[in-house]
Amino acid sequence: MDYQPLYQALSAAGAEQWVENLPQQIKRALSSKAHGTLRQWRSLVEQMPRLSPSSRELVDDVRIGRADDISDEQRLQLEAQLKALCPWRKGPYQVYGIEIDTEWRSDWKWERLRNHIAPLQGRMVLDVGCGNGYHCWRMLGAGASMVVGIDPALLNVIQFHAIRKLYGDAPIFVLPFGIEAVPNGSNVFDTVFSMGVLYHRRSPIDHLLDLKACLRPGGELVLETLIIEGKQGEVLVPQERYARMRNVWFLPSSDTLIGWMQRCGFADIRLVDVCKTSLAEQRSTEWMPFHSLKNFLDPDNPALTCEGYPAPIRAIFTARLA
Ligand SMILES: Nc1ncnc2c1ncn2[C@@H]1O[C@H](C[S@+](CC[C@H]([NH3+])C(=O)[O-])CC(=O)[O-])[C@@H](O)[C@H]1O
């Protein structure tokens, strides 16, 4: 992938210090010898064909090309290549007539927030914990001038490379590391998204401060996370697992989280959506055949997780950096 447009945009925006290290950071992560299957995944993407899609839709879904752009044989081969990158968690994607039916209906989350955020037209956007980049594509579709996603899970990054190859050149990049690898002096983004990440962080306040450090003054934060119902000051710290996930730390009430955001210096904080995750939004599919939400809830009481905690409720907040 040609990262030059990314380096140029970041340098022009004033993040020269990051750009100095970025090529090394990317190279190191994508050639990690500690990761057994990484080389296999990368060669799978290399073997995928460079096609010319007759259409590219990003506004209302992510749809690249049509079924009749390629032969049946080509489609079967492409489908097998994409399946070799399973499990696909975030999507859905339609590519050359292949429906990648992912574990999550990530498009539903986008629907819940799209009318509440500052218009992305011409904005430089960072999506922290972007998964395989599904929402990054929707951000590009909403007119962002450049979208940078970051995610430390390498299968996600490789899935993004696959979709990016099928789509063709575009100002969209997914970088193979977490928020902690973004250095000081990267406060160049007009909008920063953090969706589904805060509860994975052991220090939620530091996460909010890290997000703040990526925003230019006046920029917008879009924060989506698991919450609990409760008053100001209430927060759930699961004893061990939450909905079978080991790495879940802080589930605040919405008022508690608003307090944390205020304390971190965010202004105009708005709670724009609260939604109980349904079994239709997160489920096992042909493209993610493992256990999903249904298996993580109490079989006798779907209002509870199998550990006895309140079942997942997700909230979306917007805020501005004063
Ligand atoms: N330190 C970190 N820095 C950045 N990303 C991280 C970090 N730790 C984990 N992640 C990444 O954050 C993503 C969270 S998933 C949300 C995806 C998308 N945003 C969505 O809203 O659908 C939600 C979930 O699976 O619980 C994963 O892709 C991790 O690899």
Side-chain angles (χ1 to χ4, degrees), residues 68-83:
D68 53 14
D69 288 350
I70 57 177
S71 67
D72 290 348
E73 197 188 332
Q74 277 179 308
R75 190 170 324 97
L76 281 174
Q77 192 181 5
L78 182 57
E79 183 164 351
Q81 287 166 322
L82 291 166
K83 280 254 168 78

Side-chain angles (χ1 to χ4, degrees), residues 90 106 109 127-131 135 150-153 156 177-180 195-197 199-201 224 245 314:
K90 312 293 170 174
S106 310
K109 187 183 289 189
D127 185 7
V128 175
C130 64
H135 294 124
I150 57 174
D151 201 290
N156 287 333
F177 43 75
I179 179 79
E180 54 286 354
M195 304 197 288
V197 182
Y199 51 87
H200 288 315
R201 304 300 289 156
E224 191 256 12
M245 290 183 282
R314 310 184 78 99

